[in-house]
Amino acid sequence: NDIFYIEETKSNQFVLDLLNIHAYNLRHATLSVLSIISATFKGVEYLIKYGFGLLEKIVEIMKSIEDGQVLQRFSIAILQKMSVKESCITVYMKTGLIDWIIKLLQRSRINEIHIFCLDFASALLANILHSNITLEFLENNVSVCKNLIETFLSMIKEPIPTSVLMHILICLSYLSKERFNSIKDGCKFYD
């Protein structure tokens, strides 16, 4: 079912137009339907078939919403589900999603943030770091990789929800590969 007229118009402009209207109820309904569609691989392919503008818009909405709010939860869930497609990771890297998620997790130590946001955001972070696109970027950007490892290592020393801890440990496992040995040594990774 071409609910957003993506196939008919060969673009995702209709759904972008819906999301550009700043009416809460309309955004809520649109994001909830997008969350349902993105729950299947075929749905993800449908949403990105004619470009990644929709992904960029969802990231923009997510970043502009107060932490933990319903629209942010929908946005994070959509992005996490869509991370099954390797092609989406480039958009996530371009929009600074890794940094934003880490800051969200750090903000949660100061202000209570809905656990759904923390769980899905940390799962999204693990999916991003699982990608070859990300791993190649980190291998070629030693200072960014070192900072990321050090940040994760400091996070696991603090009290954090179990689901978030699990995802951070998964992230560290991706960065424990041999290709990062020289960086790990400088971070006292094994200590």
Side-chain angles (χ1 to χ4, degrees), residues 47-59:
L47 294 173
I48 63 170
K49 186 170 186 174
Y50 296 103
F52 297 104
L54 179 58
L55 271 183
E56 292 169 350
K57 184 63 180 178
I58 293 168
V59 170

Side-chain angles (χ1 to χ4, degrees), residues 88-102:
C88 294
I89 303 301
T90 304
V91 175
Y92 296 167
M93 295 291 288
K94 184 177 94 175
T95 57
L97 214 47
I98 292 174
D99 189 48
W100 186 87
I101 293 170
I102 288 171

Side-chain angles (χ1 to χ4, degrees), residues 48-161:
I48 63 170
K49 186 170 186 174
Y50 296 103
F52 297 104
L54 179 58
L55 271 183
E56 292 169 350
K57 184 63 180 178
I58 293 168
V59 170
E60 176 189 315
I61 290 170
M62 179 195 66
K63 288 180 176 182
S64 69
I65 301 294
E66 184 180 331
D67 289 338
Q69 297 304 309
V70 173
L71 296 183
Q72 188 181 67
R73 293 195 300 254
F74 275 132
S75 298
I76 292 170
I78 293 164
L79 296 171
Q80 191 274 333
K81 292 180 233 180
M82 292 186 75
S83 66
V84 300
K85 287 286 286 180
E86 181 91 5
S87 57
C88 294
I89 303 301
T90 304
V91 175
Y92 296 167
M93 295 291 288
K94 184 177 94 175
T95 57
L97 214 47
I98 292 174
D99 189 48
W100 186 87
I101 293 170
I102 288 171
K103 287 179 180 168
L104 175 75
L105 296 175
Q106 290 170 334
R107 288 192 303 271
S108 75
R109 293 176 50 224
I110 299 164
N111 300 311
E112 187 173 334
I113 297 174
H114 198 286
I115 187 63
F116 184 95
C117 287
L118 303 177
D119 190 19
F120 271 75
S122 59
L124 172 56
L125 185 60
N127 289 352
I128 293 170
L129 286 173
H130 183 254
S131 165
N132 285 327
I133 294 168
T134 307
L135 294 174
E136 286 175 19
F137 171 82
L138 292 172
E139 189 175 19
N140 294 321
N141 293 275
V142 174
S143 63
V144 174
C145 185
K146 183 178 186 290
N147 185 40
L148 201 54
I149 291 172
E150 289 172 344
T151 300
F152 290 150
L153 290 174
S154 71
M155 288 176 127
I156 63 173
K157 294 176 186 174
E158 302 292 328
I160 55 176

